[in-house]
Amino acid sequence: MLLGIDIGTRNVKCGIYDDYGAAVLIASTPTLWGTDAEPWGLDCEALFQQVRELVDTTIATSAYEIEAVGVASMGEVGVILNRHGVPQGPAIGWQDPRGVEQASELQAAFGLEFAATTGRKASTLCSLTKVRWLMDQGMDSQGRWLGVAEWVAFRLGADQVAEPSLASRTGWFDIRTGDTWSEALAWCGVG
């Protein structure tokens, strides 16, 4: 059996699927948006505990052996880790309006090249503008960004790697080459 985890805007879902992709069991709980300081933030540790509890409950209510786990999430929302792999703060939701000024600066810097390279328009939806906003607020530039799904997978024991379909939502992924777009990283002020 396969275990699927989906961290969505409205709900965190966990399901068990057979080898043909048919759902055997699905559980869901509302996504825990908002912290004391961040109305559109996700407390990363609280989110992981929510996922972990949902997974534990789903597995405990079934008699199936899990052979593989897949994790999906909102592509624009990421966790910024410090040098020790610990979140630097809440993950900022895709719907958070911060980064308007940075999105305008991004458009001015790259013009049509941004959309041609990333498949996205310069806006506050891009992870890139949120990270640039955080950099402008003094965030440590030595951090590492992982999408929420990638971070949850890391917390469950996977390596810290970017998944291409989620990375393509960030604004610093070149969809033509399948690699990081170094000019966008440089504009953002990160390596």
Side-chain angles (χ1 to χ4, degrees):
M1 297 303 242
L2 309 173
L3 179 72
I5 302 167
D6 179 21
I7 300 119
T9 302
R10 294 180 192 253
N11 293 292
V12 175
K13 298 168 280 301
C14 184
I16 296 178
Y17 300 84
D18 67 19
D19 291 341
Y20 300 101
V24 175
L25 175 67
I26 296 179
S28 179
T29 184
T31 305
L32 301 174
W33 286 107
T35 67
D36 291 339
E38 300 282 344
W40 285 114
L42 286 170
D43 178 310
C44 298
E45 287 303 319
L47 175 65
F48 179 72
Q49 290 308 315
Q50 179 184 16
V51 169
R52 186 63 193 236
E53 289 171 15
L54 190 58
V55 167
D56 289 347
T57 301
T58 303
I59 291 173
T61 59
S62 73
Y64 301 108
E65 182 177 327
I66 303 301
E67 298 171 25
V69 177
V71 186
S73 70
M74 305 158 278
E76 297 85 358
V77 182
V79 177
I80 301 173
L81 306 175
N82 67 18
R83 295 177 183 124
H84 307 288
V86 176
Q88 290 192 40
I92 299 176
W94 62 268
Q95 65 279 59
D96 188 302
R98 287 178 284 186
V100 171
E101 181 180 321
Q102 290 77 8
S104 294
E105 292 170 5
L106 179 64
Q107 181 61 39
F110 292 103
L112 295 176
E113 181 185 6
F114 185 78
T117 304
T118 66
R120 302 187 48 89
K121 71 178 202 173
S123 75
T124 60
L125 295 179
C126 296
S127 309
L128 173 63
T129 58
K130 300 279 198 284
V131 171
R132 175 67 184 265
W133 181 87
L134 287 166
M135 295 293 297
D136 291 348
Q137 306 308 306
M139 182 188 76
D140 180 3
S141 66
Q142 299 303 308
R144 181 175 185 128
W145 189 95
L146 289 176
V148 170
E150 299 151 348
W151 179 73
V152 167
F154 164 64
R155 287 296 309 275
L156 292 172
D159 292 334
Q160 289 185 22
V161 296
E163 191 281 321
S165 68
L166 293 175
S168 71
R169 307 296 297 160
T170 63
W172 55 71
F173 184 79
D174 187 331
I175 61 172
R176 299 171 296 190
T177 65
D179 203 359
T180 304
W181 187 25
S182 58
E183 289 87 348
L185 287 174
W187 176 86
C188 192
V190 298

